[in-house]
Amino acid sequence: MLKGILRLMACAVSLTSASEGKELHILLGDTRAAPYSETAPGDILSTFNAAVLGQMIKTDKNLELVPGLLESWNWDFKSSEYILRISPNLKFHNGRKVTARDLEFSLLRGFFSNHQSFYRTYLSNVLGVDKIVPGSAFKTGAVAGVRIIDEKTVGVKLSHPNPSFLLGLTGPYFSFVPIEELNSDYITWRSKPVGAGPYRVKDPFKDGVTVLETVSENDGRAKTVFLYTNYELHKFDILTYAPADFDFSKYNKTLSEMAAAVFNLSFSNVHPVAKDNRFKRFVRDVISKADLVRDLEGYSPAEELLPKHLWGRVGLKSTMNLEEARSLLNGPLKHLRETGIRLSIFSGPKLSVQKSALVHGLQKQFAALGVPLTYETSLNKFTTKEDAARCSLFLSGMVSDYIDPLVMFASLTKRGADPYARSVNDEKLEELYLDSAVNAQRDLRIESLRKLSKYVNDQIYVIPLAEERVI
C-alpha cells in the first residue's frame, strides 16, 4: 500500500502544478497488462486505484488523517464502534450517488468473493466477517460489525482493538466501488473501472496504455493522464519504473525517505523439498544480503520482515553461515547439486534492474557452493498450486505498511491471500499473531510483536533480503 501511495505522491506535484489542463504521460511498469487488473503488482494497482477509486481517508505529510471521500469519522464510546460518514453529494463516475450501502459493500466485498484478495489481510478483525461464506451473494446487514445508520453513515465494530483501523482505510484498494459495475465475483470489472476518485477512465486498457481524464475541469490537475505498462511506447514525463536499457539522463530523480517494500524469499508449502526445514536453513545460511544490494541504489540489507521505520523489531543480525550450509549440502541435501533450485519471481517477462540484480546475485552465491539456481517469471500475484509444485522458492516484494506492523505478518497466517506460500496449521503462529492484535497498550503490543517476529524468523517462514526505497 505504501509503495503505491508514494508513487501517487511523487506524481501529484506534476498532476497539480505545471501540467494543469495538459496531458501527462506516466510509466508505471512493464507488465503489458491493465494497471487495474487484480494480477497487477500492488504498487501499480494502488496508484491506479487512488486516482480512479479515490481514498476514503487521506494522510498529510505527517501521516495525520485528513478527509478524502469520507467527510468525517469518530469513535463512539457508547456503541464501541467507528462512525464513518460519506462526503455530501459524492457521486460515482457513472452518475449515481454514493450511499451508505456502497460503503458497506466496499468494506466487505472481498470477503464475499471467491477470488483471492487482501481483504482478509487488512480487515479480518471487522466483527462477523469470519461468518461470511466466500462465493455467496452480498446481502446488506449480513455482517454484525457493519451497520447502516442512515443514508450517508455506517458504523463499524471490530472483534478486537486495532489502533490502526482508520489508517488502514487510507488504502485505495478498499475505496468505494459500485456493485453494478463489477462481475458477480465482486472483484473484476464488467467493462472498465468506475469509482468516485478525482479521475475517471476515459479509455480502458489497450495495447499497453490506459487513459484517464479529470472529473473536475477546475481542480488544477492535468486534464488527461496516459498510464503506460509498456515502456517501449512513448517518451514519458514521469517514470516510477526503471527499465534496464532506458536513458535517464534527462530526468530528475527523487528517492523516498522510508522503505516502500521488503523483498523476501518465501517457501512453497506443497513442494517436497521446500517443506524440509533443513532446506530452509540451507537457503538462509548461503545468502549474504549485504553483497546482494551492494550496488543497488535505494536498497539496504534486510534481516527482519519489519523495515527499519517500524516499531516491534527484534534487532536480528546476519544469518549467513557457509560452514553450516556446506555441512547440509554434503549430507542430507547433496541432491541439490544435481537437481538445483527453482525460483519463481512475480514479474513481467523482463525483470526490472533491481530484480535482475537480486536474482543474479542469488545465482552467484548458490553457484559458489555448486548449486544451480534457475528462475521463471510469473504474472500470478497469488501463487498457483502449479507454480508451488514446480518451484520451491518465490521472490517478491512485500509492500511495507507504514502504519501497522502486524500487516507484515498477516500474510503468513491463515489471513494471508497466498495459500501456497504461507504457514499451514501453525497454531503457535496464530496465537502469537492474535496476542499482538488484541493488545491495545503500546508497550504490550511492541513486546508481543517482537515475540511474533522472532518466531517467524526461527521458523524461517520467509527470508528477508532487502529494503527498497522508491525512486
Side-chain angles (χ1 to χ4, degrees):
M1 182 167 66
L2 171 60
K3 193 172 180 183
I5 291 174
L6 286 171
R7 282 186 165 186
L8 181 70
M9 291 170 64
C11 295
V13 174
S14 294
L15 288 172
T16 58
S17 57
S19 60
E20 179 178 354
K22 299 179 181 179
E23 292 184 356
L24 194 63
H25 299 262
I26 304 175
L27 177 66
L28 294 179
D30 192 37
T31 63
R32 314 293 171 104
Y36 47 85
S37 166
E38 283 301 305
T39 62
D43 46 3
I44 293 178
L45 181 60
S46 186
T47 302
F48 176 89
N49 283 346
V52 176
L53 303 187
Q55 293 170 261
M56 289 192 185
I57 302 174
K58 296 182 179 180
T59 55
D60 61 18
K61 63 182 180 180
N62 298 316
L63 299 184
E64 296 293 334
L65 298 178
V66 295
L69 302 179
L70 291 181
E71 176 187 44
S72 64
W73 52 87
N74 63 279
W75 175 256
D76 188 321
F77 286 91
K78 185 176 180 180
S79 60
S80 297
E81 64 183 344
Y82 291 97
I83 307 299
L84 310 178
R85 185 161 183 82
I86 302 168
S87 296
N89 303 316
L90 185 65
K91 291 184 178 181
F92 288 116
H93 299 152
N94 62 10
R96 182 170 70 75
K97 286 186 178 181
V98 179
T99 69
R101 187 176 185 274
D102 296 309
L103 176 52
E104 178 191 25
F105 171 72
S106 298
L107 290 172
L108 299 175
R109 65 186 177 104
F111 297 99
F112 283 93
S113 178
N114 267 325
H115 274 235
Q116 292 165 295
S117 73
F118 293 109
Y119 272 80
R120 283 175 176 77
T121 303
Y122 283 85
L123 297 176
S124 62
N125 63 339
V126 173
L127 182 65
V129 294
D130 56 325
K131 303 294 194 300
I132 299 174
V133 178
S136 60
F138 169 75
K139 182 180 179 181
T140 187
V143 175
V146 182
R147 70 182 182 98
I148 293 178
I149 297 173
D150 60 39
E151 188 181 24
K152 292 291 182 181
T153 313
V154 166
V156 179
K157 185 172 292 189
L158 306 182
S159 58
H160 52 261
N162 179 8
S164 303
F165 171 73
L166 290 174
L167 289 158
L169 295 185
T170 62
Y173 189 78
F174 308 109
S175 197
F176 292 104
V177 293
I179 189 171
E180 68 270 18
E181 301 291 348
L182 293 169
N183 290 313
S184 59
D185 58 21
Y186 301 140
I187 294 292
T188 58
W189 298 98
R190 289 187 175 181
S191 57
K192 64 181 181 180
V194 175
Y199 281 88
R200 59 176 162 249
V201 176
K202 180 181 180 181
D203 298 317
F205 174 79
K206 183 179 180 181
D207 299 331
V209 62
T210 305
V211 185
L212 311 182
E213 61 181 358
T214 184
V215 173
S216 173
E217 294 289 338
N218 302 309
D219 62 359
R221 300 174 186 272
K223 182 178 180 180
T224 308
V225 177
F226 295 79
L227 299 178
Y228 295 89
T229 49
N230 180 349
Y231 86 93
E232 297 175 349
L233 290 180
H234 205 277
K235 181 179 179 180
F236 309 102
D237 301 305
I238 295 174
L239 299 90
T240 59
Y241 166 80
D245 54 354
F246 195 86
D247 179 12
F248 291 95
S249 60
K250 296 182 180 180
Y251 288 81
N252 297 317
K253 183 167 57 178
T254 301
L255 193 65
S256 67
E257 294 182 10
M258 294 187 295
V262 178
F263 274 87
N264 303 294
L265 285 179
S266 55
F267 298 86
S268 165
N269 59 26
V270 298
H271 194 286
V273 173
K275 291 194 292 184
D276 188 338
N277 202 55
R278 295 170 299 184
F279 174 73
K280 295 179 179 180
R281 290 190 347 246
F282 170 75
V283 173
R284 181 191 63 185
D285 292 341
V286 169
I287 299 171
S288 168
K289 286 83 174 283
D291 287 341
L292 284 180
V293 302
R294 195 177 307 280
D295 299 319
L296 275 178
E297 182 180 18
Y299 280 62
S300 58
E303 299 296 342
E304 299 190 42
L305 191 59
L306 295 178
K308 295 181 179 65
H309 66 260
L310 284 178
W311 47 271
R313 288 167 57 88
V314 182
L316 302 175
K317 304 299 181 184
S318 173
T319 52
M320 184 181 181
N321 187 336
L322 290 180
E323 183 178 348
E324 178 64 21
R326 289 191 181 94
S327 176
L328 288 168
L329 193 58
N330 291 329
L333 301 180
K334 58 185 178 182
H335 59 87
L336 290 179
R337 288 194 176 97
E338 296 295 328
T339 61
I341 299 172
R342 188 72 175 168
L343 171 70
S344 175
I345 307 169
F346 177 50
S347 169
K350 292 185 179 180
L351 295 179
S352 66
V353 174
Q354 296 85 353
K355 285 183 179 177
S356 180
L358 289 175
V359 151
H360 293 141
L362 288 170
Q363 286 180 317
K364 183 178 179 180
Q365 292 182 17
F366 281 95
L369 294 181
V371 177
L373 175 70
T374 57
Y375 72 90
E376 60 185 54
T377 61
S378 173
L379 288 174
N380 296 318
K381 180 188 296 186
F382 305 114
T383 309
T384 66
K385 190 172 184 179
E386 292 73 24
D387 288 343
R390 189 172 57 254
C391 301
S392 56
L393 290 177
F394 312 119
L395 172 64
S396 61
M398 181 182 290
V399 176
S400 168
D401 193 277
Y402 62 121
I403 299 301
D404 188 357
L406 265 181
V407 171
M408 302 295 287
F409 296 98
S411 61
L412 305 177
T413 71
K414 62 184 180 182
R415 297 154 198 80
D418 201 333
Y420 304 112
R422 66 187 185 198
S423 65
V424 179
N425 300 325
D426 188 338
E427 295 302 324
K428 179 67 173 179
L429 177 63
E430 299 297 330
E431 176 187 330
L432 290 170
Y433 178 88
L434 289 175
D435 188 48
S436 298
V438 300
N439 274 317
Q441 293 184 349
R442 182 175 175 83
D443 290 346
L444 293 176
R445 199 172 176 91
I446 290 175
E447 182 56 34
S448 60
L449 190 63
R450 285 175 176 161
K451 291 179 182 178
L452 174 62
S453 184
K454 185 177 186 305
Y455 181 79
V456 166
N457 179 75
D458 290 344
Q459 297 299 308
I460 322 180
Y461 279 128
V462 294
I463 298 177
L465 299 179
E467 294 186 18
E468 177 202 40
R469 293 189 287 164
V470 168
I471 297 176

